[in-house]
Amino acid sequence: MSVLVTGGTGFIGSHTVVELLNVGEDVVIVDNLCNSRIEVLERITAITGKTPKFYKGDLLDVELVERVFSENKIDSIIHFAGLKSGAESILEPGKYLNTNIISTFNLLNAMEKHNVYKLVFSSSATVYGTPEEVPDYEIDLVGKVCSPYGLSKYLIELLLKDFASQRKDFKFIALRYFNLVGAHPSGLIGEDDGQSIPNNLVPYITKVLLGQLPYLKVYGNSYDTVDGTGLRDYIHVVDLAKGHLAALNYLNNTDVKFDVFNLGTGKGTTVLQLVAAFEKVSGKKIPYQITDIRPGDVPLSFASVEKANKILGWKAEYTYEDCARDSWNWQVKNPYGYSKE
Ligand code: NAD
Ligand code: UFG
């Protein structure tokens, strides 16, 4: 029996495939490579000594999905595939809602037809919108989202909950990720955002350190934090990957129908604290300028992790300094991501 990993050549998917192979699971990947590269497979093999079965294809293609389910004995699914930029989704709402929601529908239909009952879904802290208080608890109000991307995550959570409640045997877990950073300690796999000007903080910092961008813009220094800069819960991708194995284990061993868990560290780090960590691991100064706040930014965001600790038996192990070390190691070894230049 195999674990089907959709989006398995992507950033989080590739790290999760490594962890699955390391514990002896058989893995089948489906990915259309719209935001990842085929070279990832060789890197996974270099780390694990194993090569997962791979289908290049789109989850919007019902025939492809049917073929994957009929050619493999699938036991459970980790569903990463989807479009993930909040900013881009504001420009192209239809594309985001269609891809993320219809892909999930197609998977659910195939699961029903082939009697596959367990799925772990990639949700996001973005479903909390702009919380009135932090940390974010799983029982907090969700759905006041700031983008079509956030709306797609919220609607898929509702869809899974409803689907499970209407049918015997189906079990789903939605994992709400906080800010993903770090890379595999080998430096062989990591985040390749492919953009010349990244939106997110860590890829921006590493491009400044590599001399590919002149300086970092720090978006605001009058938030209610130790140094006034925005605060986030930065979680290492290897910790996050292990959270998926804990979620699968929970699905396999309980009669849960649907549940949600935050995956974060439970600690907040400011922009300037993260900048200092990157300066330490790289031995270089990071030039920066304080600018106005970025419209739409949440001032503070970090997770309550008690539920995941208690019920999944999972806890993040890496610190934000470890994240800086591994992100930098990946970027130094792969200054242009998976491409040669
Ligand atoms: P990613 O873009 O690196 O990986 C997603 C993968 O899915 C890519 O390899 C892409 O080619 C593939 N894909 C996209 N649409 C597809 C389709 N229709 N059919 C088949 N394959 C398709 O992203 P990631 O950072 O690894 O994120 C994985 C999941 O986690 C996404 O659903 C994302 O929304 C969610 N998430 C990510 C973050 C983050 O900070 N990275 C935070 C919260 C939630
Ligand atoms: N920041 C800067 N300069 C930059 C980029 C970011 O100062 O060049 C600051 C932001 O203002 C924020 C912090 O760094 O305080 C983190 O910003 P990111 O863009 O890295 O991450 P966000 O928390 O804004 O958003 C990310 C994803 C969203 C997702 C959210 C919660 O991009 O899609 O995490 O999971 F919804």
Side-chain angles (χ1 to χ4, degrees), residues 50 80 101 104 115 150 177 240 276 289:
K50 299 172 191 168
F80 293 109
I101 295 172
T104 309
N115 302 321
Y177 312 156
L240 191 93
Q289 281 180 14

Side-chain angles (χ1 to χ4, degrees), residues 65-175:
V65 175
E66 171 56 27
R67 190 154 71 81
V68 172
F69 276 77
S70 52
E71 289 179 0
N72 298 282
K73 284 200 165 66
I74 296 166
D75 174 63
S76 49
I77 301 171
I78 307 182
H79 179 31
F80 293 109
L83 303 176
K84 67 165 180 177
S85 161
E88 189 184 63
S89 77
I90 292 168
L91 303 174
E92 297 187 80
K95 179 173 144 190
Y96 266 71
L97 291 166
N98 187 54
T99 303
N100 291 357
I101 295 172
I102 304 300
S103 294
T104 309
F105 259 121
N106 290 346
L107 273 182
L108 291 174
N109 286 335
M111 288 173 75
E112 193 153 39
K113 183 168 171 202
H114 292 271
N115 302 321
V116 177
Y117 298 119
K118 292 168 283 185
L119 180 142
V120 177
F121 171 62
S122 294
S123 190
S124 166
T126 195
V127 299
Y128 292 111
T130 305
E132 280 173 16
E133 280 180 35
V134 281
D136 296 323
Y137 290 92
E138 288 87 345
I139 53 166
D140 288 351
L141 180 74
V142 290
K144 281 194 170 176
V145 291
C146 312
S147 68
Y149 165 71
L151 182 62
S152 75
K153 293 294 179 191
Y154 172 62
L155 292 176
I156 294 168
E157 285 194 7
L158 292 181
L159 171 68
L160 297 178
K161 187 175 183 185
D162 184 67
F163 197 92
S165 73
Q166 306 281 341
R167 289 162 182 82
K168 204 170 145 282
D169 299 323
F170 281 87
K171 300 166 156 196
F172 301 116
I173 286 182
L175 298 174

Side-chain angles (χ1 to χ4, degrees), residues 192-265:
D192 180 1
D193 77 348
Q195 294 180 48
S196 45
I197 305 188
N199 282 317
N200 294 120
L201 180 61
V202 166
Y204 208 107
I205 288 177
T206 52
K207 283 202 158 73
V208 171
L209 281 172
L210 288 167
Q212 296 173 5
L213 289 169
Y215 67 94
L216 173 71
K217 289 180 200 154
V218 174
Y219 297 135
N221 67 349
S222 51
Y223 291 120
D224 185 16
T225 62
V226 282
D227 53 29
T229 62
L231 179 137
R232 295 289 184 275
D233 187 336
Y234 295 98
I235 175 167
H236 194 291
V237 64
V238 171
D239 273 335
L240 191 93
K242 289 180 178 167
H244 291 76
L245 274 66
L248 271 188
N249 189 42
Y250 183 63
L251 280 182
N252 285 331
N253 293 301
T254 63
D255 52 12
V256 62
K257 292 291 290 172
F258 172 84
D259 211 345
V260 294
F261 295 91
N262 289 338
L263 292 186
T265 65

Side-chain angles (χ1 to χ4, degrees), residues 6-14 30-37 57-60 79-84 99-100 103 121-125 149 153 175-180 191-192 200:
T6 75
T9 45
F11 174 41
I12 308 170
S14 56
V30 182
D31 199 304
N32 65 3
L33 302 179
C34 72
N35 199 37
S36 57
R37 314 255 311 194
D58 199 311
L59 291 179
L60 295 175
H79 179 31
F80 293 109
L83 303 176
K84 67 165 180 177
T99 303
N100 291 357
S103 294
F121 171 62
S122 294
S123 190
S124 166
Y149 165 71
K153 293 294 179 191
L175 298 174
R176 295 177 180 160
Y177 312 156
F178 282 67
N179 287 60
L180 258 294
E191 183 169 23
D192 180 1
N200 294 120

